[in-house]
Amino acid sequence: MKLWILRHGEAEPYGARPDPERTLTSHGREEVLRSAAGLIGQPLLAIYASPYRRAQQTAQLVREALGFEPELVTVDWLTPDIRPQAVLEHLGDQGDVLLVSHNPLVGSLLGLLQHGHLQQPEQVKTAGLAELEGELPLAGAMTLKGLRHP
């Protein structure tokens, strides 16, 4: 199975609005579209996104760029401060999905999936796209095939 994890694009600065309501900047939208190009031709079954506005905007831009017909799936388990282990509990054996979320969750989740612990998080810039591969989305059971930043 493959799993893609995308951090949202650049958003308005903190303090402009409450964190869940921060929106993408024009630069952030451009970043997302560049990252979406890395998903062209991939066998995505679903796109899961945090309910935060910037993640929703990111997921919708990807969906439109790919011509992905299924609706986005909005989930509370992709918000910034969720424990990475909770994400794995929700994924089960679903394969070939895209997760759209935030740091610190994105970096910690990538570290957990690769190394089996949280001591080596990945550094992921805005609109960074990670591709992982493995039998199941379990701690330490996936291999990072690539991490691209726009």
Side-chain angles (χ1 to χ4, degrees):
M1 77 168 275
K2 286 190 175 186
L3 176 66
W4 291 271
I5 302 174
L6 177 64
R7 182 177 172 204
H8 64 79
E10 178 188 81
E12 298 174 304
Y14 285 103
R17 303 173 196 245
D19 191 39
E21 297 175 18
R22 291 172 49 220
T23 61
L24 293 178
T25 63
S26 58
H27 175 72
R29 288 189 291 280
E30 291 170 14
E31 288 179 318
V32 170
L33 292 173
R34 285 196 300 272
S35 289
L39 291 165
I40 293 172
Q42 297 296 337
L44 285 179
L45 299 175
I47 299 174
Y48 292 92
S50 158
Y52 285 28
R53 186 170 294 154
R54 60 192 180 275
Q56 290 286 305
Q57 290 174 317
T58 296
Q60 188 60 39
L61 283 168
V62 169
R63 182 175 177 260
E64 291 169 4
L66 298 178
F68 188 76
E69 291 187 19
E71 291 295 319
L72 300 176
V73 182
T74 301
V75 294
D76 289 335
W77 46 267
L78 286 175
T79 55
D81 297 319
I82 292 292
R83 294 183 325 61
Q85 297 89 335
V87 175
L88 301 187
E89 292 168 12
H90 288 283
L91 282 177
D93 62 355
Q94 295 183 57
D96 299 343
V97 299
L98 170 65
L99 307 179
V100 181
S101 189
H102 318 260
N103 272 340
L105 178 60
V106 167
S108 296
L109 182 58
L110 289 172
L112 179 64
L113 286 165
Q114 292 177 83
H115 310 297
H117 56 76
L118 299 174
Q119 286 73 39
Q120 290 179 272
E122 290 288 336
Q123 298 300 312
V124 184
K125 297 177 183 174
T126 53
L129 176 66
E131 177 184 352
L132 298 115
E133 193 170 67
E135 291 296 316
L136 290 171
L138 301 172
M142 299 200 82
T143 301
L144 183 65
K145 304 303 277 183
L147 176 56
R148 294 182 292 266
H149 294 102

